[in-house]
Amino acid sequence: MSVPLTLLGLLEREPSHGYDLKRDYDTFFGRGKPLSFGQVYSTLGRLARDGKVVIGEVAPGEGPERKRYLITERGATEVDTWLTEPVEPEPTLQSILFSKVVLSLMLERPAEEYLDRQRAAHLRRMRELTELKRSGELVDALLADHALFHLEADLRWIDLTSARLGTLAKAVQR
């Protein structure tokens, strides 16, 4: 997730204060991983430095002054470009799962046990996401579906790799 571009997109929708940006980000994009206020304000500072946002009205607040941020033409152009370019397909050819299995085999550790534990962890997470789909709102359900599809692909890979561990061990061990 590109936090700067997502915040720019929220600002293109309407000028906002940092607090409001954090709330909207967390509501729609930060499920399970909300932004800290520090990250919001440091990102806004960099966006202002780079000419992608400007500070509009400043109002007194109970603490620091409340600044309303507005997107600039440069920022809007960047959002438009970002929204029209396809995302690089994931996952990459080498994942953490792959690295751990190969290293386990290279170091003569029990790769099968690792894969069993990983399968169990994936299944636990899939149960949590399935419950979220049942009880959550549409945004939660769509995010859960996306994660579930990735976990299903990982499980297929885990099963395939488990079946090929002997051959893989021969290929990676000296």
Side-chain angles (χ1 to χ4, degrees), residues 90-158:
E90 291 184 21
T92 60
L93 287 178
Q94 186 166 342
S95 72
I96 295 171
L97 288 174
F98 176 82
S99 297
K100 290 178 89 169
V101 169
V102 169
L103 282 171
S104 292
L105 292 170
M106 286 178 168
L107 300 173
E108 298 182 8
R109 298 215 176 120
E112 182 68 39
E113 290 176 21
Y114 165 71
L115 287 171
D116 289 343
R117 285 190 301 274
Q118 190 62 59
R119 183 183 296 105
H122 271 56
L123 291 170
R124 270 192 308 277
R125 183 64 179 141
M126 290 175 83
R127 285 189 293 276
E128 292 168 359
L129 291 167
T130 301
E131 180 55 33
L132 179 62
K133 280 179 52 169
R134 277 196 273 269
S135 62
E137 299 174 11
L138 177 61
V139 171
D140 294 319
L142 289 171
L143 288 169
D145 280 336
H146 186 264
L148 283 164
F149 295 144
H150 282 274
L151 292 170
E152 286 173 2
D154 281 352
L155 283 175
R156 288 196 331 257
W157 182 87
I158 287 168

Side-chain angles (χ1 to χ4, degrees), residues 4-24:
L5 285 162
T6 303
L7 293 179
L8 280 174
L10 290 171
L11 285 171
E12 185 172 326
R13 183 180 62 165
E14 65 183 347
S16 299
H17 296 97
Y19 177 86
D20 298 323
L21 287 169
K22 178 190 172 1
R23 180 199 62 222
D24 290 348

Side-chain angles (χ1 to χ4, degrees), residues 22 35-44 46:
K22 178 190 172 1
L35 290 179
S36 68
F37 282 106
Q39 185 176 5
V40 171
Y41 289 108
S42 65
T43 301
L44 288 169
R46 285 190 302 278

